[in-house]
Amino acid sequence: MGGDDVRLRAVVALAQGMAAAHTPQESWHAAAAGACHALAGSFAAVSVWERELGRLRVLVNVGERAADEEEYPDDEAYPVHQFPEITEFLHERWAAGGGANAWVETAEGPAGDRAGYCHQRVIALRRRGRGCCVVAPIVLHGRAWGELYVARRAGAPVFARADADFATVLASVAAAGIAQTERLEEVRRLAFTDALTGLANRRAVDVRLDEALEGHRADGVVVSLVVCDINGLKRVNDTRGHAAGDRLLERFGSVLSLCGAMLPGTLAARLGGDEFCLLAVGPAADEVVRVADELCRRAAELELGEGVACGVASTGDPIGTVHSARRLFRLADAAQYRAKAARAPKPVVAGREGGTEGTEDQVVRLADRPPPELPGDRRRFRGRKP
């Protein structure tokens, strides 16, 4: 019972590690690390079978990694024909009513009845100084998703059949954890994504902006906000129908995404209705203004609509201290409001619109001391209370 107790504790530890994972990457690492410990391995990896590309792609490597093995590799992948057991062997087993069982391979050659399926793995074991490995299929929703691979260094005891059976159990626990994390990731994605355009939504912007401003306050990282309002959307909806209006929103969303990609790490989002924004963290204010100008130019070329009104607020410009996300939004909103009122073909930038008396920027004054709203004015600056 001692060995059974140890393995039961290992299964419980793996399940707890998987439950604690909040992202797919964390779940892959928990699966590999937990299985490596449970099987007294020196190295473990989790790979996914990318059917459309015909390859096994390594997601994570843990333990004693070789020189060519990164913890989270960008491009470590192997043609699946080199490892046909992930397709041929598994399907043959399932067709005969069997399960997705793990198997053992050694650097000395085929182990058990696995002849003909292990040539590339044997080469890899020898090249990386490992003596044996156990390979366990990871099955999600009744289909082979990938594999759990655990190896021992050369000279260590070779995995036994009981180890392979235990690896099968560990792979099942890992599969359940990976499936749960993927479901949570999908829920998270839906919660932070605009359904029509596929861009981030206002909730995602709020979370990212709060984090960015923490970095600004701590290290002076430049944070910039570009707020856009599509001109003429109501006319398109009234004259061509809401389906055409949705196409305009989607097309502008694509333009926004393209321009956002010009600034590394920028978040492109739809705030709601006809309002969109770019949130840039790191790039200089001049670079953000340049991209905002390009955005206006491209938007003006869209077949539908009448271009965009665009406002920019950046902590890299003289806009005063930005204590909160609310103030940066007010500044960008005020700049956008002026752009819309003037039907400006280019972005209006807070901190660069000096008043005639030369004492205070007009946009900053509008944002910090907004005039009373006119009757029927639909615009409200976000968080206009100080």
Side-chain angles (χ1 to χ4, degrees):
M1 288 299 293
D4 291 340
D5 288 344
V6 170
R7 290 194 163 177
L8 177 59
R9 287 196 294 272
V11 169
V12 171
L14 175 58
Q16 290 174 337
M18 300 296 296
H22 298 293
T23 66
Q25 191 175 67
E26 290 178 359
S27 71
W28 307 331
H29 192 282
C36 189
H37 176 75
L39 288 163
S42 62
F43 170 85
V46 170
S47 303
V48 64
W49 177 18
E50 296 182 329
R51 285 175 168 80
E52 70 280 8
L53 299 176
R55 67 181 189 176
L56 280 172
R57 180 169 62 88
V58 179
L59 301 173
V60 64
N61 292 309
V62 302
E64 298 175 3
R65 291 181 279 123
D68 61 340
E69 291 172 324
E70 299 178 0
E71 184 174 19
Y72 295 105
D74 290 328
D75 56 2
E76 185 181 353
Y78 304 95
V80 77
H81 72 264
Q82 294 182 355
F83 307 100
E85 70 279 348
I86 194 66
T87 55
E88 298 171 9
F89 173 72
L90 294 182
H91 289 306
E92 290 169 6
R93 275 290 185 91
W94 292 340
N101 298 321
W103 61 90
V104 175
E105 293 173 1
T106 75
E108 302 304 317
D113 62 353
R114 298 299 305 124
Y117 290 100
C118 61
H119 180 64
Q120 296 297 329
R121 292 192 196 277
V122 169
I123 292 174
L125 286 170
R126 293 171 180 170
R127 185 175 73 248
R128 289 166 175 160
R130 294 166 188 152
C132 62
C133 67
V134 59
V135 184
I138 297 175
V139 179
L140 264 63
H141 315 302
R143 300 179 66 190
W145 178 88
E147 66 174 37
L148 176 64
Y149 174 99
V150 181
R152 288 176 178 168
R153 64 179 67 90
V158 174
F159 288 114
R161 180 66 250 173
D163 294 316
D165 293 340
F166 185 43
T168 300
V169 174
L170 295 173
S172 297
V173 175
I178 290 171
Q180 176 67 16
T181 305
E182 288 186 347
R183 285 193 293 270
L184 291 174
E185 188 70 9
E186 178 64 11
V187 170
R188 188 179 296 114
R189 185 190 68 79
L190 293 173
F192 289 95
T193 302
D194 175 65
L196 177 64
T197 63
L199 300 175
N201 61 15
R202 176 60 189 265
R203 183 182 293 109
V205 173
D206 288 342
V207 171
R208 180 75 174 275
L209 184 54
D210 285 341
E211 294 173 350
L213 289 177
E214 286 182 11
H216 169 69
R217 288 188 289 267
D219 305 314
V221 176
V222 176
V223 181
S224 305
L225 197 61
V226 180
V227 174
C228 305
D229 187 296
I230 298 178
N231 295 324
L233 178 63
K234 184 177 185 304
R235 177 189 59 78
V236 172
N237 284 332
D238 291 344
T239 60
R240 301 197 182 189
H242 286 275
D246 285 349
R247 286 200 302 275
L248 174 58
L249 292 169
E250 290 177 296
R251 292 186 64 185
F252 178 72
S254 297
V255 170
L256 184 76
S257 179
L258 184 151
C259 290
M262 299 176 184
L263 299 167
T266 292
L267 183 70
R270 181 187 178 198
L271 298 175
D274 58 2
E275 287 193 299
F276 293 75
C277 81
L278 291 175
L279 171 56
V281 182
D286 284 345
E287 281 298 294
V288 176
V289 173
R290 179 186 63 79
V291 169
D293 190 62
E294 177 70 8
L295 176 63
C296 290
R297 185 188 69 78
R298 289 175 179 268
E301 295 175 352
L302 292 176
E303 179 184 356
L304 300 173
E306 301 165 7
V308 295
C310 184
V312 182
S314 174
T315 60
D317 280 326
I319 58 175
T321 303
V322 177
H323 293 291
S324 66
R326 182 176 61 187
R327 182 165 191 269
L328 193 64
F329 252 122
R330 277 207 313 264
L331 288 161
D333 217 22
Q336 188 257 28
Y337 184 75
R338 283 184 56 81
K340 197 168 190 72
R343 301 191 68 82
K346 291 179 175 290
V348 171
V349 185
R352 303 187 184 188
E353 293 285 308
T356 55
E357 69 278 12
T359 58
E360 187 178 25
D361 179 85
Q362 295 178 29
V363 172
V364 174
R365 184 169 66 247
L366 179 63
D368 290 344
R369 295 195 298 274
E373 287 185 5
L374 298 176
D377 188 353
R378 71 178 181 85
R379 294 285 301 180
R380 289 180 178 274
F381 294 118
R382 297 172 180 83
R384 60 180 294 171
K385 292 183 180 180

